[in-house]
Amino acid sequence: MIEALRGARAVLAGVDLTNTDRANLLAAWRAVSGAGLDAQLKVLDGFLGGRDPGWPWFDDCRSRFEQLGRFPDLPGWADLEPGVAEPEPATPEDALAWIDIAQARALLADAGVRPAGRKNADIWEALASHVPFERWRPLALASWRDAEAARIAGPGPDQVMDAKRRLLAASMSAAEYVADRAAQLRDMGAGLRVEPDDGLAQAMMNAPSPYTPNPGLPPFYPGDRSGVSRGGPAAPDHPAPVAVPRRGSKWEASGAVMVAAGLVAMLAGVAWGGALLLAGCGVFLAGRFK
């Protein structure tokens, strides 16, 4: 039964695991291949044990996305996308984005200000309107500096590991579905039409990573949700033989033309029409038995 896990097997073949771990993981994956992400992650965590295995496909795609300046809008990848530098907050309107609601409530309490309502919008409005900006701007700047430092440092090892495990589970499931669907369509004698999920999938399909598990088929990057559907008729395994003209076919064609011309001439009362008709018959018969 494990042999049926073609897609998951292809994905795991590119992950740095021992053959024993890979075989055991496939055996356990069979029970959760159709289950939810939580069950799949539990199986993966049991075998990875917190280790961050090498995964060249993931590393190559991540490098490409960084060069493109664009990451997939998917769980896992979104946590690895480099943040955009934000300008230092210089006005109360800008600074409000860097103050959390607990800090805003504390600032209002210290200033003896009661907001008009209990909604967050009421609290932000009271802070900006009734508490001098100089009193809470340092808090906003501290939050901004922390975020900027984290952006420059990039995702930490824990974030990368969490993204990998999520994307590995998603890739094994996606590859398994596509492999089964492709086999089903081929058994029906139908062709395959690949349906890229987004522009990045299209780009990776046109210029695939050398580590893509199943070249020509999704997923084209870890976590890719592209699929396949029924296309035109499948191409035959053996092309139809090309018809080769017989040796005398040209003679037959010429004779047929002469016969037709002779008949026309005879009907028109031309004297040599009969001779042309007889000559054409001879040429035709010579080609037939050539």
Side-chain angles (χ1 to χ4, degrees):
M1 294 296 293
I2 297 176
E3 288 299 326
L5 300 175
R6 296 178 296 273
R9 178 181 293 274
V11 172
L12 278 183
V15 180
D16 292 342
L17 296 172
T18 66
N19 291 335
T20 300
D21 282 347
R22 191 176 291 112
N24 290 337
L25 178 51
L26 281 171
W29 184 263
R30 175 175 171 268
V32 298
S33 61
L37 179 63
D38 289 342
Q40 294 172 347
L41 289 177
K42 187 176 293 185
V43 169
L44 286 180
D45 291 342
F47 282 88
L48 297 179
R51 292 177 293 127
D52 185 356
W55 193 11
W57 187 33
F58 169 87
D59 295 335
D60 182 62
C61 290
R62 183 183 179 188
S63 176
R64 292 188 183 205
F65 296 152
E66 288 175 347
Q67 293 173 8
L68 291 171
R70 180 185 172 195
F71 277 62
D73 186 16
L74 294 171
W77 284 121
D79 297 331
L80 302 180
E81 184 172 9
V84 178
E86 297 284 351
E88 179 178 324
T91 66
E93 291 75 15
D94 295 336
L96 282 175
W98 300 100
I99 298 291
D100 63 38
I101 195 65
Q103 290 174 323
R105 290 181 186 276
L107 287 166
L108 290 175
D110 290 343
V113 176
R114 296 185 63 180
R118 296 183 177 182
K119 296 181 179 180
N120 287 354
D122 297 325
I123 296 172
W124 301 131
E125 194 280 331
L127 178 64
S129 302
H130 303 293
V131 180
F133 184 33
E134 292 75 16
R135 292 186 59 179
W136 53 277
R137 185 170 184 248
L139 279 177
L141 286 174
S143 297
W144 171 79
R145 292 191 183 100
D146 290 344
E148 186 66 5
R151 182 191 68 81
I152 295 173
D158 291 342
Q159 286 180 285
V160 174
M161 180 59 194
D162 185 62
K164 272 189 176 182
R165 57 195 281 273
R166 290 177 177 275
L167 293 170
L168 179 57
S171 300
M172 291 172 68
S173 293
E176 191 60 28
Y177 171 78
V178 168
D180 289 347
R181 180 61 174 155
Q184 180 186 45
L185 291 172
R186 291 192 182 103
D187 290 343
M188 295 167 56
L192 295 179
R193 179 171 61 243
V194 176
E195 299 179 336
D197 183 59
D198 55 22
L200 285 174
Q202 181 72 58
M204 298 297 281
M205 181 177 71
N206 296 338
S209 166
Y211 305 104
T212 301
N214 293 304
L217 288 177
F220 298 112
Y221 59 78
D224 175 30
R225 296 174 177 174
S226 299
V228 294
S229 62
R230 182 169 185 163
D237 294 335
H238 302 287
V242 179
V244 180
R246 292 185 296 104
R247 291 178 58 191
S249 59
K250 292 183 178 180
W251 286 53
E252 293 176 20
S254 299
V257 171
M258 293 171 66
V259 169
L263 285 172
V264 172
M266 288 178 64
L267 292 174
V270 178
W272 45 264
L276 181 60
L277 174 65
L278 291 175
C281 289
V283 171
F284 181 86
L285 291 174
R288 171 69 66 175
F289 297 105
K290 190 172 179 64

